[in-house]
Amino acid sequence: MTQQLLRDQTADGGMPREVAPAVTDTAGRAFAALFRLLKVARPDRPIHPKGRGLAGKVTRTGTSGEPSGLDWLDAPGIDPVVARFSRSAGLPQTLPDVLGLALRVTPSRNSVSGTTLDAGADGGAAGGGSDGSGPDGAADILFASTGWQLPGRFLLQPRLDVSSATFTTLMPYRGRKGPVLLGLRSLSLPAGSITDGEWVLGLYWAKPAGPWRQCGELRLRASPEPADTPLRFNPLENQPPGAQAYDWTRRLRERSYQAAQQTPPPAVAHSAAAPPPKGNHSSPATPGRNTMSTVSQLFNTPAADVWRVIADGWLYSGWVVGASRIRAVDDTWPQAGARLHHSVGAWPLLINDSTRVTAVEPGKSLELVARGWPMGEARIVITLQDQGSQCLVTIAEDAIRGPGKKVPKVMRDPMITVRNRETLKRLELMAAGGAGR
């Protein structure tokens, strides 16, 4: 452990000591200046201005095989969680935005009592507790919507809604075995909005360039009124047991947090608190709205077998309800931009059109735009959650263009749901039967 800490101190978490302080300190000052500028317009919260309070629990299964090096992750336990979901820039729900999920976790002391990492080794892990945690041992963990694979896991990615989003801490913690990145992926979503039921996410950890390993499950529900929460989160000061912030992450983020959470001058605060003009009766959209009809099914089939069927474009008419035949498939399918040419309907009343891949993570997810004019176009997101010999498959879909979008959502969602439940049943049968091999 001592050798690891010495390596970390020498390289500052992978960045040369002679470069990291100058670069990250300059960047940190620039970020803080931007936050102070934004605070003129948004005195209370310069970013993530509106949010939704959530509450629930995180179940830590512990790490099997290779430990992460973070005591909190490596030990099993169940911890209460309060959270805040928000959109970074506060853009309208119809526009993509960087999504944020801030967690305040109160770790179970009996499950992490074996903490051996000295919180003071970093030279700045101050906080409410002796281990760098907040009041009552609470830890703040901030997640933002990013990619899942390299290099996307270190890049912020705007999303329309949570159904297709993956979240990471963006910057790693320092543990006994070096840097550790945390991640979240949705396992199941309530229909309509994350405030309408239970939002279930898988908790993962990874080395910066390593594979993701699931180590728990997070379950959240909307908190009682008020809708938003007054909590202020600080992951630099309130850290999980066994975790520390690297010096370079402190230099990047600390001044920004101080600027964002500084009490605004009374005149500015009063101006920001002024009531909206008369006649403006619009209410803000619900944060985290899942705008797509979403269904999930647990397959008793490995994810690799399911993906093999999805990756063969010629098999789509066998499991996609409504697809009558496949006429042609691009050689690059299912890469982004590839198309399959299909017919929909029942003979002899067939419509010829196509489906295009808009994004893909091989073995994990596929985003499509399916055309069926004159009815219009639909966006479809298929995600696979590997669970060993099983796989959780989710299909999210909604109309995006044409007459189909004019059908009231309260009417089109049930129709999409019924069709996609049958689609999932067909997909599981084909995967279990070895289709695509």
Side-chain angles (χ1 to χ4, degrees):
M1 185 181 76
T2 301
Q3 292 177 346
Q4 177 65 51
L5 290 177
L6 287 175
R7 286 196 295 270
D8 287 345
Q9 290 172 356
T10 300
D12 198 19
M15 303 180 71
R17 286 183 65 88
E18 64 273 15
V19 175
V23 173
T24 54
D25 189 68
T26 300
R29 291 180 183 276
F31 288 143
L34 176 61
F35 273 56
R36 284 192 288 270
L37 182 63
L38 291 172
K39 203 168 176 67
V40 174
R42 293 174 173 172
D44 186 37
R45 296 182 189 265
I47 62 172
H48 299 277
K50 297 177 182 178
R52 186 61 169 92
L54 304 167
K57 65 181 181 180
V58 59
T59 301
R60 293 175 282 110
T61 57
T63 52
S64 58
E66 179 186 358
S68 69
L70 300 187
D71 297 305
W72 179 63
L73 290 183
D74 294 341
I78 300 177
D79 309 324
V81 175
V82 290
R84 183 178 190 260
F85 177 87
S86 57
R87 294 165 63 86
S88 179
L91 298 175
Q93 291 282 328
T94 54
L95 298 176
D97 202 342
V98 174
L99 309 180
L101 183 60
L103 307 182
R104 175 157 293 176
V105 182
T106 305
S108 305
R109 284 297 183 183
N110 60 341
S111 62
V112 294
S113 58
T115 300
T116 58
L117 189 61
D118 180 7
D122 183 56
S130 60
D131 60 352
S133 60
D136 299 322
D140 291 343
I141 309 174
L142 304 191
F143 292 90
S145 57
T146 67
W148 196 244
Q149 305 302 328
L150 289 171
R153 63 179 64 172
F154 299 107
L155 300 174
L156 296 172
Q157 294 192 5
R159 295 289 186 180
L160 275 173
D161 52 70
V162 298
S163 63
S164 61
T166 55
F167 300 84
T168 73
T169 49
L170 200 64
M171 298 183 188
Y173 288 102
R174 185 172 74 185
R176 294 193 309 276
K177 295 180 174 292
V180 179
L181 197 68
L182 304 187
L184 293 171
R185 293 186 71 143
S186 294
L187 301 182
S188 65
L189 286 164
S193 165
I194 60 173
T195 63
D196 295 334
E198 188 172 57
W199 183 16
V200 183
L201 304 99
L203 174 65
Y204 299 79
W205 73 273
K207 295 296 183 181
W212 289 103
R213 305 170 188 270
Q214 187 168 3
C215 55
E217 186 178 84
L218 174 65
R219 292 178 174 268
L220 296 172
R221 286 183 175 272
S223 299
E225 297 295 337
D228 205 347
T229 172
L231 282 178
R232 301 296 179 128
F233 301 84
N234 192 327
L236 297 180
E237 303 305 330
N238 308 327
Q239 300 163 48
Q244 299 179 43
Y246 281 103
D247 285 341
W248 63 269
T249 65
R250 286 185 174 277
R251 288 190 293 269
L252 275 175
R253 306 168 80 175
E254 196 162 35
R255 291 187 179 91
S256 297
Y257 289 152
Q258 292 172 351
Q261 298 183 9
Q262 184 179 13
T263 303
V268 176
H270 177 74
S271 174
K278 292 182 178 180
N280 180 7
H281 300 292
S282 61
S283 58
T286 303
R289 181 184 59 184
N290 176 20
T291 60
M292 307 174 77
S293 170
T294 304
V295 295
S296 299
Q297 182 175 321
L298 184 64
F299 289 13
N300 291 314
T301 310
D305 291 349
V306 180
W307 182 256
R308 192 178 293 113
V309 178
I310 294 174
D312 189 338
W314 288 103
L315 297 178
Y316 271 57
S317 59
W319 59 276
V320 176
V321 174
S324 301
R325 64 189 178 193
I326 303 300
R327 297 177 289 113
V329 179
D330 288 359
D331 292 339
T332 55
W333 184 273
Q335 297 178 20
R339 293 178 183 269
L340 62 79
H341 304 270
H342 52 68
S343 302
V344 297
W347 185 88
L349 303 176
L350 295 175
I351 299 172
N352 294 333
D353 219 315
S354 65
T355 291
R356 176 172 55 90
V357 178
T358 56
V360 61
E361 288 188 33
K364 303 286 187 180
S365 66
L366 186 67
E367 297 186 21
L368 308 167
V369 171
R371 294 168 50 90
W373 289 93
M375 287 303 297
E377 301 178 16
R379 176 173 175 249
I380 303 164
V381 181
I382 306 172
T383 56
L384 277 62
Q385 177 61 57
D386 187 5
Q387 298 187 8
S389 62
Q390 296 181 310
C391 177
L392 182 69
V393 184
T394 299
I395 299 181
E397 180 181 348
D398 201 4
I400 56 174
R401 294 183 186 87
K405 187 170 176 59
K406 297 185 181 297
V407 176
K409 189 170 178 61
V410 69
M411 295 176 61
R412 71 174 184 261
D413 272 2
M415 293 188 290
I416 295 173
T417 296
V418 170
R419 178 165 55 82
N420 282 341
R421 289 194 188 282
E422 174 62 22
T423 291
L424 287 175
K425 292 177 182 177
R426 297 182 184 185
L427 178 58
E428 181 179 23
L429 290 172
M430 292 185 69
R437 292 180 182 172

Coordinates of all heavy atoms in Angstrom, one line a residue, residues 294-349:
T294 N -41.3 2.4 -22.1 CA -40.1 1.5 -21.8 C -40.6 0.2 -21.2 O -41.5 0.2 -20.3 CB -39.2 2.2 -20.8 OG1 -38.8 3.5 -21.3 CG2 -38.0 1.4 -20.5
V295 N -40.1 -0.9 -21.7 CA -40.5 -2.2 -21.2 C -39.1 -3.0 -21.0 O -38.2 -2.8 -21.8 CB -41.4 -3.0 -22.1 CG1 -42.8 -2.3 -22.1 CG2 -40.9 -3.2 -23.4
S296 N -39.1 -3.9 -20.0 CA -37.9 -4.7 -19.7 C -38.3 -6.1 -19.5 O -39.4 -6.4 -19.0 CB -37.1 -4.1 -18.5 OG -36.7 -2.8 -18.7
Q297 N -37.4 -7.0 -19.8 CA -37.6 -8.4 -19.5 C -36.3 -9.1 -19.2 O -35.3 -8.9 -19.9 CB -38.3 -9.1 -20.7 CG -38.6 -10.6 -20.5 CD -39.4 -11.2 -21.6 OE1 -40.3 -10.6 -22.2 NE2 -39.1 -12.5 -22.0
L298 N -36.3 -10.0 -18.1 CA -35.1 -10.7 -17.8 C -35.1 -12.0 -18.6 O -36.0 -12.8 -18.4 CB -35.1 -11.0 -16.3 CG -33.9 -11.7 -15.7 CD1 -32.6 -10.8 -15.9 CD2 -34.1 -12.1 -14.3
F299 N -34.1 -12.1 -19.4 CA -33.9 -13.3 -20.2 C -33.1 -14.4 -19.5 O -32.1 -14.0 -18.8 CB -33.2 -13.0 -21.6 CG -34.0 -12.2 -22.5 CD1 -35.2 -11.6 -22.2 CD2 -33.6 -12.1 -23.8 CE1 -35.9 -10.8 -23.1 CE2 -34.3 -11.3 -24.8 CZ -35.5 -10.7 -24.4
N300 N -33.4 -15.6 -19.6 CA -32.6 -16.7 -19.1 C -31.6 -17.1 -20.1 O -31.4 -18.3 -20.4 CB -33.4 -17.9 -18.6 CG -34.3 -17.6 -17.4 OD1 -33.8 -17.0 -16.5 ND2 -35.5 -17.9 -17.5
T301 N -30.9 -16.1 -20.7 CA -30.0 -16.3 -21.8 C -28.9 -15.3 -21.6 O -29.1 -14.1 -21.3 CB -30.7 -16.0 -23.2 OG1 -31.9 -16.8 -23.2 CG2 -29.8 -16.4 -24.3
P302 N -27.6 -15.7 -21.8 CA -26.5 -14.7 -21.7 C -26.6 -13.5 -22.7 O -27.2 -13.7 -23.8 CB -25.2 -15.6 -22.0 CG -25.7 -17.0 -21.8 CD -27.1 -17.0 -22.1
A303 N -26.1 -12.4 -22.3 CA -26.1 -11.2 -23.2 C -25.5 -11.4 -24.5 O -26.0 -10.9 -25.5 CB -25.5 -10.0 -22.5
A304 N -24.4 -12.2 -24.6 CA -23.8 -12.5 -25.9 C -24.7 -13.1 -26.9 O -24.7 -12.8 -28.1 CB -22.5 -13.3 -25.7
D305 N -25.5 -14.1 -26.4 CA -26.5 -14.8 -27.3 C -27.6 -13.8 -27.8 O -28.0 -13.9 -28.9 CB -27.1 -16.0 -26.6 CG -26.1 -17.1 -26.3 OD1 -25.0 -17.0 -26.9 OD2 -26.4 -18.0 -25.6
V306 N -28.0 -12.9 -26.9 CA -29.0 -11.9 -27.3 C -28.5 -11.0 -28.3 O -29.1 -10.7 -29.3 CB -29.6 -11.2 -26.1 CG1 -30.7 -10.2 -26.5 CG2 -30.1 -12.2 -25.0
W307 N -27.3 -10.5 -28.0 CA -26.6 -9.5 -29.0 C -26.4 -10.2 -30.3 O -26.5 -9.5 -31.4 CB -25.3 -9.0 -28.4 CG -24.7 -7.9 -29.3 CD1 -23.6 -8.1 -30.1 CD2 -25.2 -6.6 -29.5 NE1 -23.4 -6.9 -30.8 CE2 -24.3 -6.0 -30.4 CE3 -26.2 -5.8 -28.9 CZ2 -24.4 -4.7 -30.8 CZ3 -26.3 -4.5 -29.3 CH2 -25.5 -4.0 -30.2
R308 N -26.1 -11.4 -30.4 CA -25.9 -12.1 -31.6 C -27.1 -12.0 -32.5 O -27.0 -11.8 -33.8 CB -25.5 -13.6 -31.4 CG -25.0 -14.3 -32.6 CD -24.6 -15.7 -32.3 NE -23.4 -15.7 -31.4 CZ -23.4 -16.2 -30.1 NH1 -24.6 -16.6 -29.6 NH2 -22.3 -16.2 -29.4
V309 N -28.3 -12.1 -31.9 CA -29.5 -12.0 -32.7 C -29.7 -10.6 -33.2 O -30.0 -10.3 -34.4 CB -30.7 -12.5 -31.9 CG1 -32.0 -12.3 -32.7 CG2 -30.6 -13.9 -31.5
I310 N -29.5 -9.6 -32.3 CA -29.7 -8.2 -32.6 C -28.7 -7.7 -33.7 O -29.1 -6.9 -34.5 CB -29.5 -7.3 -31.3 CG1 -30.7 -7.6 -30.3 CG2 -29.5 -5.8 -31.6 CD1 -30.5 -7.0 -29.0
A311 N -27.5 -8.3 -33.6 CA -26.5 -7.8 -34.6 C -26.6 -8.4 -36.0 O -25.9 -8.0 -36.9 CB -25.1 -8.2 -34.0
D312 N -27.6 -9.3 -36.2 CA -27.8 -9.9 -37.5 C -29.1 -9.2 -38.0 O -30.2 -9.6 -37.6 CB -28.0 -11.4 -37.4 CG -28.1 -12.1 -38.7 OD1 -28.5 -11.4 -39.7 OD2 -27.9 -13.3 -38.8
G313 N -28.9 -8.3 -38.9 CA -30.0 -7.5 -39.4 C -31.1 -8.4 -40.2 O -32.2 -8.0 -40.2
W314 N -30.6 -9.5 -40.8 CA -31.5 -10.3 -41.5 C -32.5 -11.1 -40.6 O -33.5 -11.6 -41.1 CB -30.7 -11.4 -42.3 CG -30.0 -10.8 -43.5 CD1 -28.7 -10.5 -43.5 CD2 -30.6 -10.4 -44.7 NE1 -28.4 -9.9 -44.8 CE2 -29.5 -9.8 -45.5 CE3 -31.9 -10.4 -45.2 CZ2 -29.7 -9.3 -46.8 CZ3 -32.1 -9.9 -46.5 CH2 -31.0 -9.4 -47.3
L315 N -32.3 -11.1 -39.3 CA -33.2 -11.7 -38.4 C -34.3 -10.8 -37.8 O -35.2 -11.3 -37.1 CB -32.4 -12.3 -37.2 CG -31.4 -13.4 -37.5 CD1 -30.6 -13.8 -36.3 CD2 -32.1 -14.6 -38.2
Y316 N -34.3 -9.5 -38.1 CA -35.3 -8.6 -37.5 C -36.7 -9.0 -37.7 O -37.6 -8.8 -36.9 CB -35.0 -7.2 -37.9 CG -33.9 -6.5 -37.0 CD1 -32.7 -7.1 -36.8 CD2 -34.2 -5.3 -36.4 CE1 -31.8 -6.5 -36.0 CE2 -33.3 -4.7 -35.5 CZ -32.1 -5.3 -35.3 OH -31.2 -4.8 -34.5
S317 N -37.0 -9.5 -38.9 CA -38.4 -9.8 -39.2 C -38.9 -11.0 -38.3 O -40.1 -11.2 -38.2 CB -38.6 -10.1 -40.7 OG -37.8 -11.2 -41.1
G318 N -38.0 -11.7 -37.7 CA -38.3 -12.8 -36.9 C -38.7 -12.4 -35.4 O -39.4 -13.2 -34.8
W319 N -38.3 -11.2 -35.0 CA -38.6 -10.9 -33.6 C -39.2 -9.5 -33.5 O -39.9 -9.2 -32.4 CB -37.4 -11.0 -32.7 CG -36.2 -10.2 -33.1 CD1 -35.2 -10.5 -34.0 CD2 -35.8 -8.9 -32.5 NE1 -34.3 -9.5 -34.1 CE2 -34.6 -8.5 -33.2 CE3 -36.3 -8.1 -31.6 CZ2 -33.9 -7.3 -32.9 CZ3 -35.7 -6.9 -31.3 CH2 -34.5 -6.5 -31.9
V320 N -39.0 -8.6 -34.4 CA -39.6 -7.3 -34.3 C -41.1 -7.3 -34.8 O -41.4 -7.6 -36.0 CB -38.8 -6.2 -35.2 CG1 -39.5 -4.9 -35.1 CG2 -37.4 -6.1 -34.6
V321 N -42.0 -7.0 -33.9 CA -43.4 -7.1 -34.3 C -43.7 -6.0 -35.3 O -43.4 -4.8 -35.1 CB -44.3 -6.9 -33.0 CG1 -45.8 -6.8 -33.4 CG2 -44.1 -8.1 -32.0
G322 N -44.4 -6.4 -36.4 CA -44.7 -5.4 -37.4 C -43.8 -5.5 -38.6 O -44.2 -5.1 -39.7
A323 N -42.6 -6.0 -38.5 CA -41.7 -6.2 -39.6 C -42.0 -7.5 -40.4 O -42.0 -8.6 -39.8 CB -40.2 -6.2 -39.1
S324 N -42.4 -7.3 -41.6 CA -42.9 -8.5 -42.4 C -41.7 -9.2 -43.1 O -41.7 -10.4 -43.2 CB -43.9 -8.0 -43.4 OG -45.0 -7.4 -42.8
R325 N -40.8 -8.4 -43.6 CA -39.7 -9.0 -44.3 C -38.5 -8.1 -44.3 O -38.7 -6.8 -44.1 CB -40.1 -9.4 -45.7 CG -40.4 -8.2 -46.6 CD -41.0 -8.6 -47.9 NE -41.4 -7.5 -48.7 CZ -42.1 -7.5 -49.8 NH1 -42.7 -8.7 -50.2 NH2 -42.4 -6.4 -50.4
I326 N -37.3 -8.6 -44.5 CA -36.1 -7.8 -44.6 C -35.7 -7.9 -46.1 O -35.5 -9.0 -46.6 CB -35.0 -8.3 -43.7 CG1 -35.5 -8.2 -42.2 CG2 -33.7 -7.4 -43.8 CD1 -35.9 -6.9 -41.7
R327 N -35.5 -6.7 -46.7 CA -35.2 -6.7 -48.1 C -33.7 -6.5 -48.4 O -33.1 -7.1 -49.4 CB -35.9 -5.5 -48.8 CG -37.4 -5.7 -48.8 CD -38.2 -4.5 -49.4 NE -38.1 -3.3 -48.5 CZ -37.4 -2.2 -48.8 NH1 -36.8 -2.1 -50.0 NH2 -37.4 -1.2 -48.0
A328 N -33.0 -5.8 -47.5 CA -31.5 -5.7 -47.7 C -31.0 -5.2 -46.3 O -31.6 -4.5 -45.5 CB -31.2 -4.7 -48.8
V329 N -29.7 -5.5 -46.1 CA -29.0 -5.1 -44.9 C -27.6 -4.6 -45.2 O -26.9 -5.3 -46.0 CB -28.9 -6.2 -43.8 CG1 -28.1 -5.7 -42.6 CG2 -30.2 -6.8 -43.5
D330 N -27.2 -3.4 -44.8 CA -25.9 -2.8 -45.1 C -24.8 -3.8 -44.5 O -25.0 -4.3 -43.4 CB -25.7 -1.4 -44.5 CG -26.5 -0.4 -45.2 OD1 -27.2 -0.7 -46.2 OD2 -26.5 0.8 -44.8
D331 N -23.7 -3.9 -45.2 CA -22.6 -4.7 -44.7 C -22.1 -4.3 -43.4 O -21.5 -5.1 -42.7 CB -21.5 -4.7 -45.8 CG -21.9 -5.4 -47.1 OD1 -22.9 -6.2 -47.0 OD2 -21.3 -5.2 -48.1
T332 N -22.2 -3.0 -43.1 CA -21.6 -2.5 -41.8 C -22.6 -2.6 -40.6 O -22.2 -2.2 -39.5 CB -21.3 -1.0 -42.0 OG1 -22.4 -0.3 -42.4 CG2 -20.2 -0.8 -43.0
W333 N -23.8 -3.2 -40.8 CA -24.7 -3.3 -39.7 C -24.1 -4.2 -38.6 O -23.5 -5.2 -38.9 CB -26.0 -4.0 -40.2 CG -27.1 -4.1 -39.2 CD1 -27.2 -5.1 -38.3 CD2 -28.1 -3.2 -38.9 NE1 -28.3 -4.9 -37.5 CE2 -28.9 -3.7 -37.8 CE3 -28.5 -2.0 -39.5 CZ2 -30.0 -3.1 -37.3 CZ3 -29.6 -1.3 -39.0 CH2 -30.3 -1.9 -37.9
P334 N -24.3 -3.8 -37.3 CA -25.0 -2.7 -36.7 C -24.2 -1.4 -36.4 O -24.4 -0.8 -35.3 CB -25.7 -3.3 -35.5 CG -24.5 -4.2 -35.0 CD -23.8 -4.7 -36.2
Q335 N -23.2 -1.1 -37.2 CA -22.4 0.1 -36.9 C -23.3 1.4 -37.1 O -24.3 1.4 -37.8 CB -21.2 0.2 -37.8 CG -20.2 -1.0 -37.5 CD -19.0 -0.9 -38.5 OE1 -18.7 0.2 -39.0 NE2 -18.4 -2.0 -38.7
A336 N -22.9 2.5 -36.4 CA -23.6 3.7 -36.6 C -23.7 4.2 -38.0 O -22.7 4.1 -38.7 CB -23.0 4.8 -35.7
G337 N -24.9 4.5 -38.5 CA -25.1 5.0 -39.8 C -25.6 3.9 -40.8 O -26.1 4.2 -41.9
A338 N -25.4 2.6 -40.3 CA -25.9 1.5 -41.2 C -27.4 1.4 -41.2 O -28.1 1.8 -40.3 CB -25.3 0.2 -40.7
R339 N -27.9 0.9 -42.3 CA -29.4 0.7 -42.5 C -29.7 -0.7 -42.8 O -29.0 -1.4 -43.4 CB -29.9 1.6 -43.6 CG -29.7 3.1 -43.4 CD -30.2 3.9 -44.6 NE -30.0 5.4 -44.4 CZ -30.9 6.2 -43.9 NH1 -32.1 5.7 -43.5 NH2 -30.7 7.5 -43.7
L340 N -30.9 -1.1 -42.4 CA -31.6 -2.3 -42.9 C -32.9 -1.8 -43.6 O -33.6 -0.9 -43.1 CB -31.8 -3.3 -41.9 CG -32.7 -3.1 -40.6 CD1 -34.2 -3.3 -41.0 CD2 -32.3 -4.1 -39.6
H341 N -33.2 -2.5 -44.7 CA -34.3 -2.1 -45.5 C -35.4 -3.2 -45.3 O -35.2 -4.3 -45.6 CB -33.9 -2.0 -47.0 CG -32.8 -1.0 -47.2 ND1 -33.0 0.3 -47.4 CD2 -31.5 -1.2 -47.1 CE1 -31.9 1.0 -47.5 NE2 -30.9 0.1 -47.3
H342 N -36.6 -2.7 -44.8 CA -37.6 -3.7 -44.4 C -38.9 -3.3 -45.0 O -39.1 -2.2 -45.6 CB -37.7 -3.7 -42.8 CG -37.9 -2.3 -42.3 ND1 -39.1 -1.5 -42.5 CD2 -37.1 -1.5 -41.5 CE1 -38.9 -0.4 -41.8 NE2 -37.7 -0.3 -41.3
S343 N -39.9 -4.2 -44.8 CA -41.3 -4.0 -45.2 C -42.1 -4.2 -43.9 O -41.9 -5.1 -43.1 CB -41.7 -4.9 -46.3 OG -40.9 -4.8 -47.4
V344 N -43.1 -3.3 -43.7 CA -44.0 -3.4 -42.6 C -45.4 -3.6 -43.1 O -45.8 -3.1 -44.2 CB -43.9 -2.2 -41.6 CG1 -42.5 -2.1 -41.1 CG2 -44.2 -0.9 -42.4
G345 N -46.2 -4.2 -42.2 CA -47.6 -4.4 -42.6 C -47.9 -5.9 -42.9 O -47.0 -6.8 -42.7
A346 N -49.0 -6.2 -43.5 CA -49.4 -7.5 -43.9 C -49.7 -7.6 -45.4 O -50.3 -6.7 -45.9 CB -50.7 -8.0 -43.1
W347 N -49.1 -8.6 -46.0 CA -49.3 -8.8 -47.4 C -50.8 -8.8 -47.8 O -51.6 -9.5 -47.1 CB -48.6 -10.1 -47.9 CG -48.6 -10.2 -49.4 CD1 -47.7 -9.8 -50.2 CD2 -49.6 -10.9 -50.1 NE1 -48.0 -10.1 -51.5 CE2 -49.2 -10.8 -51.5 CE3 -50.8 -11.6 -49.8 CZ2 -50.0 -11.3 -52.5 CZ3 -51.5 -12.1 -50.9 CH2 -51.1 -12.0 -52.2
P348 N -51.2 -8.2 -48.8 CA -50.4 -7.4 -49.8 C -50.2 -5.9 -49.5 O -49.7 -5.2 -50.3 CB -51.2 -7.6 -51.1 CG -52.7 -7.6 -50.6 CD -52.6 -8.3 -49.3
L349 N -50.7 -5.5 -48.3 CA -50.6 -4.1 -47.9 C -49.3 -3.9 -47.2 O -49.3 -3.8 -46.0 CB -51.8 -3.7 -47.1 CG -53.2 -3.9 -47.7 CD1 -54.3 -3.6 -46.7 CD2 -53.3 -3.1 -49.0

